[in-house]
């Protein structure tokens, strides 16, 4: 992985294995640090839930990759608008695809954040 970004080794059973360590529940990875994320479903996704991404800004995060659970869905308008206003791009997909994409993009050295809803 580029820099010190954690790798996503596995997902499922309500959590993730990041660089060998199990994390229960959803995770938010910003500036190569994973933290618990209180978003368990799309309805929980708000600009406030992405505050660490917005605070990092576009110099540290060129875009956020959202894994929205088992199905792909459109993130809430308030989230899309907050990221756009901050100059941070947005990519969204189901969590399994986002987990795989995260590993590819961090290996390329991309400056991204990831918000992944556990499945």
């Amino acid at each position: 992985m580029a820099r010190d970004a954690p790798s996503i080794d596995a997902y499922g059973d309500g959590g993730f294995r990041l660089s060998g360590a199990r994390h229960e529940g959803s995770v938010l990875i910003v500036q190569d640090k994973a933290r618990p994320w209180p978003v368990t479903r799309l309805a929980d996704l708000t600009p406030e839930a992405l505050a660490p991404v917005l605070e990092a800004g576009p110099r540290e995060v060129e875009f956020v990759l959202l894994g929205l659970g088992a199905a792909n869905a459109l993130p809430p308008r308030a989230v899309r608008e907050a990221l756009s206003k901050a100059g941070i791009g947005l990519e969204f997909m189901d969590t399994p695809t986002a987990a795989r994409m995260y590993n590819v993009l961090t290996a390329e050295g991309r400056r991204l954040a990831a918000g992944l809803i556990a499945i």
Side-chain angles (χ1 to χ4, degrees):
M1 294 274 124
R3 306 177 317 255
D4 291 323
S7 64
I8 301 174
D9 303 326
Y11 56 86
D13 294 325
F16 298 86
R17 190 171 64 236
L18 304 176
S19 298
R22 175 75 180 171
H23 292 261
E24 291 297 323
S26 300
V27 296
L28 181 64
I29 304 170
V30 182
Q31 296 175 307
D32 299 340
K33 293 180 180 70
R35 62 187 83 191
W37 197 37
V39 176
T40 60
R41 58 197 174 105
L42 189 59
D44 298 334
L45 184 56
T46 64
E48 293 76 23
L50 291 172
V53 175
L54 296 168
E55 290 166 7
R59 288 182 185 241
E60 295 295 322
V61 177
E62 61 183 285
F63 68 96
V64 63
L65 177 62
L66 295 177
L68 301 174
N72 192 5
L74 184 65
R77 179 184 304 269
V79 168
R80 297 188 320 262
E81 290 174 351
L83 290 168
S84 178
K85 183 177 178 182
I88 298 172
L90 170 64
E91 295 290 335
F92 56 93
M93 55 203 66
D94 62 82
T95 295
T97 304
R100 291 186 299 271
M101 183 64 65
Y102 169 85
N103 284 336
V104 170
L105 293 171
T106 56
E108 292 176 354
R110 302 290 298 269
R111 296 182 334 266
L112 72 141
L116 305 168
I117 296 175
I119 55 172

